[in-house]
Amino acid sequence: MDSDQQPGGEAASSRRSFLRTTGLAGLGAAALSMTGTTAASAATPGQDSQSGSSWRPDTENPRFTLVVMPDTQYLFDGASINPEPVEASFRYLLDNARDENIVFMAHLGDLVQNGQKNELEAIGKSFEILDRRRVPYSVLAGNHDIDSSTDDQRGPTPYLDVFGPQRFRRSQTFKGASPDGYNSYHMFHAAGRDWLLLALDWRPSAKGIAWANDVIRRHPKTPVILTIHELVYVEHYGDEAQFSDFGARVWNELVAGNDQIFLTLNGHYWPPARTTKKNNAGHDVHVHITNYQDRYYGGSGMIRLYRFDLARNTIDVETISPWLLGKSAGELNVLERQEIERTGSQDYFSVAIDFEDRFSGFDPVPPRSARPAAQMLVPGTVAYWRFDGSGRDGAPVGDSDQVKDLSGHGNDLTKVTVPGSPADVLKWSSEHHPDQPGHGSLYFGGNKSPLRGAYLQTASGAPLNTATFESGYTVEAFFKIPDDWDPGQNQWAALLSRWGMSREAGKTQGDPDEPVVTLSLSDGPGLQWAVYPLNQDGPVTNWGHDLTHGTWWHVAVVNDGNHTTMYVDGCPVARNPSTKAVGLSTAGMQWLLGGYEYGGKLDQVLHGWVGDVRIVERALKVGEFMLAR
């Protein structure tokens, strides 16, 4: 965009002030260490980086990077052509492809200033750095790349000669263009799925918009990123972005009705800004403008790094100039030191997106179906309890109800109620962990003061009561901590424990009133596996990290006959003791589900949900846990 152009009109009398956005004061060396780039980014113009021999992003990694390059027009202006900043950014892609897991680059238009053949050929030659290494990218025409008074039916232009569909014939991501050649779409594979990126012309006509709608219609389950030169603008840095007149048309005719479009990126105006809009389905669309042509040296080849992280449900956004990053501190002038990296609120930020939920309207993830109990009876299973199909959701567990041990070893569970507790203090529930084999659970409504609740326990003659597991064991459980979980009332309640104090098992060290086995929730709440092994007179404890409320979790405690490791959601925790611990001590008494003994009497009852529980008389591997896919 030129400084005399305003939203809603192609020419306006007022001029935008130079350096409207906030500055960044910082030394080159500091920014260098933050981004991890090297002086290789400052190689000779036109010379490819030699690092990395092939472009092979990890397409299954939930973390990947989309690179965005906005208006570069002032670097390609008539006879004033300096490709160095742009080429430094391209070499940055090559140098950092593996570390950043870069999957694609999108240019937002206004590649050049006047749409002249020599300008477009010059930047086209710079793009050959990416072409030679088969780096996937998209371009689109900005108002300076073509006659801005025309739409995508304008016919042949120098832009189309250089950046038309013929340029992308070897691209693995280029999937097609509109008949006029000015609109294109690309598909890249990242985080285990396909993503569609639309690159639309400066002024897509009705035919162009219809073409884009048809592309989306033909890919009904694919999330879409829209890139276009003009969509939103802002008058002052930090203000919320708003649609230009043309942008409002694009929103109404293309974006609002296509739920697959979750992110839009445009240049043209400055300063950078963003907003979030609700589409017709009531879902968020993240709308961003990025443009730094008003900054020092026409933006210094600035790029945006959109770091997608589907595991964290976040997009982290960073804005840098690889050209300046590649210079030594002594080479940088006073303005360059301010432009190495942009860290204002509109340049360096994070966007929270629950990707699965956001995409569920057009590509829902089917819930995992329940798995037969027989499938869970891996070799060595000595007890397996699950709670699906036993009672109506929300119905109290009856005093005569029995939870069968599905392993067939006779370790059935019966209910024990604390006197004075309401009848519904223990209830059947349809809630469950998404990867839980059985689609049901028990809700325990325990509290400490006054002591209230109900728990389950094995019969006095159950074989599990005397099992010592000398050769190893695995104890697994699914559980959920309620939002109203209160450490004052609920801390140290056990998911699973064993009647019998340590002194009753012949132990002489530690607290003589402690139970010999307990899997409890600490005040964090965090998991604690505290046991008295056969080979020691004192206890051994594994500690988990703090856990969020309102979330289903899976825990597995695995002993290989010597050492014990705790896993939360299949991941090992840090505080696993190195102490050799063989087996589990027993006083020959019952196991409890949801209850905790201290000093020979019931001390605490669980507050929360418990799903499937399994005990196996051997050490399972992570891939054998109940939550394994």
Side-chain angles (χ1 to χ4, degrees):
M1 174 186 173
D2 267 343
S3 56
D4 61 352
Q5 292 174 330
Q6 295 289 327
E10 294 307 310
S13 58
S14 62
R15 294 177 59 84
R16 290 183 178 272
S17 60
F18 187 61
L19 298 178
R20 185 185 293 265
T21 57
T22 58
L24 164 67
L27 294 177
L32 190 69
S33 66
M34 289 174 66
T35 62
T37 191
T38 69
S41 297
T44 303
Q47 176 183 330
D48 289 8
S49 167
Q50 297 302 308
S51 63
S53 59
S54 60
W55 185 270
R56 293 178 182 171
D58 181 352
T59 58
E60 299 304 310
N61 192 329
R63 296 167 64 96
F64 67 90
T65 299
L66 167 69
V67 177
V68 177
M69 178 176 281
D71 310 48
T72 51
Q73 64 199 70
Y74 292 161
L75 300 173
F76 299 87
D77 184 0
S80 176
I81 291 177
N82 184 0
E84 236 185 284
V86 167
E87 293 184 359
S89 290
F90 292 165
R91 287 190 296 274
Y92 178 94
L93 269 66
L94 301 180
D95 292 342
N96 294 273
R98 181 172 298 177
D99 290 344
E100 292 278 2
N101 198 27
I102 298 171
V103 298
F104 196 83
M105 192 209 77
H107 196 294
L108 300 181
D110 275 0
L111 293 101
V112 301
Q113 176 66 14
N114 305 295
Q116 295 176 356
K117 178 180 179 181
N118 71 305
E119 297 171 338
L120 287 156
E121 288 178 344
I123 194 169
K125 184 173 179 59
S126 295
F127 268 90
E128 289 177 7
I129 294 174
L130 304 183
D131 293 332
R132 284 190 287 270
R133 294 276 292 279
R134 305 286 296 275
V135 178
Y137 65 87
S138 63
V139 295
L140 57 89
N143 55 301
H144 282 267
D145 299 319
I146 39 76
D147 179 354
S148 63
S149 67
T150 62
D151 62 21
D152 57 18
Q153 304 304 304
R154 65 184 63 90
T157 61
Y159 168 85
L160 209 58
D161 292 339
V162 178
F163 289 106
Q166 74 283 350
R167 187 182 188 103
F168 299 93
R169 63 186 181 276
R170 294 180 63 222
S171 170
Q172 295 180 352
T173 62
F174 177 74
K175 298 304 178 183
S178 54
D180 50 77
Y182 287 100
N183 304 286
S184 64
Y185 80 99
H186 305 252
M187 293 187 71
F188 58 87
H189 196 76
R193 69 174 305 149
D194 288 333
W195 306 74
L196 191 154
L197 185 139
L198 283 170
L200 298 191
D201 184 67
W202 155 246
R203 282 291 183 265
S205 62
K207 290 182 179 179
I209 295 293
W211 172 87
N213 275 306
D214 184 63
V215 167
I216 297 174
R217 180 189 60 78
R218 288 187 283 111
H219 300 85
K221 293 183 178 295
T222 308
V224 176
I225 300 167
L226 170 66
T227 60
I228 190 169
H229 190 57
E230 177 189 349
L231 190 68
V232 293
Y233 76 100
V234 71
E235 288 291 347
H236 305 288
Y237 189 91
D239 289 351
E240 184 177 2
Q242 56 186 306
F243 292 116
S244 66
D245 291 345
F246 173 75
R249 177 195 152 204
V250 173
W251 172 266
N252 291 328
E253 296 180 7
L254 177 63
V255 182
N258 283 304
D259 191 32
Q260 292 162 250
I261 302 177
F262 70 99
L263 176 64
T264 72
L265 305 168
N266 73 277
H268 189 51
Y269 301 117
W270 64 78
R274 53 197 169 106
T275 188
T276 304
K277 298 293 185 182
K278 295 287 186 184
N279 63 17
N280 294 348
H283 296 149
D284 288 345
V285 180
H286 300 275
V287 182
H288 296 179
I289 173 176
T290 175
N291 185 6
Y292 298 94
Q293 69 181 89
D294 63 317
R295 304 298 303 178
Y296 171 74
Y297 218 84
S300 304
M302 287 274 185
I303 56 173
R304 278 269 180 96
L305 304 174
Y306 278 75
R307 296 186 177 104
F308 285 67
D309 191 335
L310 272 66
R312 293 170 47 238
N313 282 321
T314 301
I315 304 175
D316 296 309
V317 180
E318 182 181 13
T319 306
I320 60 173
S321 168
W323 179 55
L324 300 179
L325 281 166
K327 296 186 177 186
S328 67
E331 291 181 284
L332 294 167
N333 64 41
V334 64
L335 291 179
E336 288 174 334
R337 290 192 179 103
Q338 298 175 29
E339 298 299 310
I340 290 173
E341 183 173 11
R342 309 297 304 158
T343 56
S345 61
Q346 305 306 306
D347 314 288
Y348 188 94
F349 55 89
S350 294
V351 178
I353 302 178
D354 185 329
F355 290 96
E356 183 176 315
D357 180 69
R358 176 59 182 84
F359 300 161
S360 63
F362 57 86
D363 189 19
V365 177
R368 192 177 186 186
S369 59
R371 285 165 281 165
Q375 187 178 329
M376 299 297 105
L377 302 181
V378 298
T381 303
V382 295
Y384 178 40
W385 304 296
R386 58 195 275 175
F387 314 107
D388 52 342
S390 299
R392 179 176 52 84
D393 183 34
V397 176
D399 293 337
S400 61
D401 289 345
Q402 190 177 62
V403 176
K404 288 289 186 181
D405 171 16
L406 300 179
S407 76
H409 287 94
N411 298 299
D412 302 335
L413 300 174
T414 55
K415 177 185 175 184
V416 180
T417 304
V418 176
S421 299
D424 63 351
V425 76
L426 180 63
K427 297 185 288 187
W428 303 106
S429 174
S430 61
E431 287 208 40
H432 59 276
H433 188 287
D435 288 325
Q436 189 177 308
H439 285 189
S441 61
L442 288 177
Y443 174 74
F444 295 79
N447 274 299
K448 182 163 184 153
S449 182
L451 182 62
R452 292 290 184 268
Y455 59 93
L456 301 176
Q457 70 177 18
T458 56
S460 58
L464 192 64
N465 301 348
T466 55
T468 53
F469 304 98
E470 292 96 329
S471 298
Y473 57 82
T474 300
V475 175
E476 288 186 86
F478 292 94
F479 65 98
K480 179 181 176 181
I481 303 166
D483 290 330
D484 64 351
W485 192 92
D486 176 8
Q489 284 284 352
N490 309 128
Q491 64 182 348
W492 307 116
L495 299 172
L496 191 66
S497 64
R498 204 173 203 174
W499 279 109
M501 295 175 286
S502 66
R503 56 184 164 86
E504 292 176 308
K507 301 301 177 180
T508 59
Q509 297 180 21
D511 186 340
D513 289 331
E514 280 185 333
V516 288
V517 175
T518 179
L519 178 61
S520 302
L521 290 170
S522 69
D523 56 347
L527 289 160
Q528 183 204 50
W529 173 250
V531 301
Y532 284 79
L534 298 175
N535 64 318
Q536 293 191 41
D537 279 339
V540 174
T541 303
N542 298 68
W543 292 93
H545 54 276
D546 284 0
L547 303 173
T548 55
H549 298 188
T551 301
W552 274 96
W553 299 95
H554 172 269
V555 58
V557 180
V558 180
N559 179 274
D560 62 5
N562 288 290
H563 299 98
T564 308
T565 304
M566 178 188 290
Y567 297 85
V568 175
D569 280 356
C571 306
V573 301
R575 299 176 66 187
N576 289 314
S578 59
T579 306
K580 183 175 181 179
V582 178
L584 298 175
S585 295
T586 178
M589 301 172 70
Q590 295 102 315
W591 283 75
L592 292 78
L593 188 68
Y596 175 82
E597 168 209 15
Y598 185 78
K601 62 181 181 180
L602 186 72
D603 181 74
Q604 179 75 279
V605 180
L606 183 69
H607 186 66
W609 286 264
V610 176
D612 293 22
V613 178
R614 184 172 68 174
I615 302 176
V616 181
E617 198 168 17
R618 65 181 176 92
L620 296 182
K621 298 178 181 179
V622 174
E624 297 179 290
F625 295 164
M626 286 192 290
L627 92 166
R629 287 216 170 243

